[in-house]
Structure formats: structure tokens, C-alpha cells
Amino acid sequence: MFNASVVISVGSSASLLFWEDPWIQGLFVAAVAPEVLKLVRPGVVKRRSVRDGLLNHAWATDIVGELSVDAVVQYLRLSAAVVVVPINGGADTFRWKWTEDGTFTVRSAYRMFFHGTTTLPGAVHVWNSFAPYKFRFHAWLSLRGRCLLVPNDFST
């Protein structure tokens, strides 16, 4: 959720990880070339910065093993995507999508989890009533249409 909520602007690219961060126009390498990523050792994935990877195409040397046809196609797609990413001399910036000024707050992170949910009309009145809890719970279930029907015939 964090990676989906952060927009990264590539600056000097020293603080970004080549294989893990969404630096390719907001995409991860795993989204562009998942078969290629499978051929990179986990230790290299955690260490290779974007700046080091782009220097003399060092990222290509991280790939070990035989490439399948799908991996070759994805390698070419990744190679083309890496070339078009502009790198300037400034600092890498991380912008939080859920606030206007782009700074992270715990409040905005909490609200992010409920983005797109709807409220239940009448639920506030049910929970603020002075009725016993079991009646409030039953009223809340009935508002949601989740009450179980009990048969009237107990003769069986």
C-alpha cells in the first residue's frame, strides 16, 4: 500500500533501488519485466541503486541464468523503458498521494485504507442510542440486511 501511495520523482537516483522502487514512470521493474526480475539474485535486488544500475548498463549484468522467450521480450521492454527516464542532478523526491502538500501523515494513511468505502445511513443513530448492546447490534444487522430469519414452526 505504501508503494502504491507514493509518487517518486527521480533526481540523482542515488537513494532509489533499481529492482524494487517504482521509478520507471511510476512502475516497478516487477510490473515491466517480472520474468527478468526472477533471474536477479535477491542480494543484488536489495543493493543496486538506480544510479549504479544505469551506469554503463550495470543492471544487465545482474541478470543470471538463461532467458526464456518471454524474458527476452521483457528485457527489451525494460531496456527501452530505462532509457527514457530523465535523471537530473537534484534530489530524489517522494510525494504522498493522499495529502494536498504531499507529506506523509498517519491520519492520511489511516484514511487511505477507507478510501472508496460508503457509510451506512442510520448507523450513527443506532450506535448512539441508549438501548442495550444486543439490541443495537441487532438493529445494525437489520440495517445491513443481515438478520437471519427464524422459522415459526418449532414442532419438529
Side-chain angles (χ1 to χ4, degrees):
M1 290 297 290
F2 178 79
N3 288 330
S5 298
V6 174
V7 177
I8 296 176
S9 297
V10 180
S12 66
S13 68
S15 61
L16 301 174
L17 293 176
F18 185 92
W19 299 105
E20 286 192 334
D21 290 331
W23 64 277
I24 305 169
Q25 299 171 356
L27 297 174
F28 296 90
V29 171
V32 177
E35 295 299 318
V36 173
L37 184 59
K38 290 177 185 176
L39 299 172
V40 180
R41 286 188 220 107
V44 175
V45 169
K46 301 272 187 212
R47 282 193 325 262
R48 175 71 71 191
S49 71
V50 173
R51 182 174 58 187
D52 294 340
L54 294 179
L55 186 65
N56 296 325
H57 297 288
W59 65 270
T61 62
D62 296 341
I63 302 167
V64 294
E66 294 183 23
L67 295 173
S68 65
V69 174
D70 288 338
V72 171
V73 171
Q74 291 175 9
Y75 173 83
L76 294 173
R77 187 179 306 140
L78 178 62
S79 181
V82 164
V83 171
V84 298
V85 174
I87 296 185
N88 56 36
D92 299 326
T93 58
F94 300 84
R95 183 168 174 20
W96 184 248
K97 291 180 185 178
W98 300 101
T99 57
E100 301 235 353
D101 60 353
T103 57
F104 173 81
T105 62
V106 174
R107 182 179 186 165
S108 67
Y110 183 76
R111 286 185 174 179
M112 169 194 59
F113 285 109
F114 298 103
H115 182 74
T117 59
T118 59
T119 58
L120 181 64
V124 173
H125 301 295
V126 168
W127 293 114
N128 289 338
S129 71
F130 292 104
Y133 181 75
K134 63 182 179 181
F135 296 124
R136 287 189 279 172
F137 185 69
H138 181 74
W140 180 72
L141 284 176
S142 65
L143 279 175
R144 299 190 66 202
R146 302 282 188 209
C147 286
L148 297 176
L149 297 175
V150 179
N152 294 348
D153 184 22
F154 293 108
S155 62
T156 57

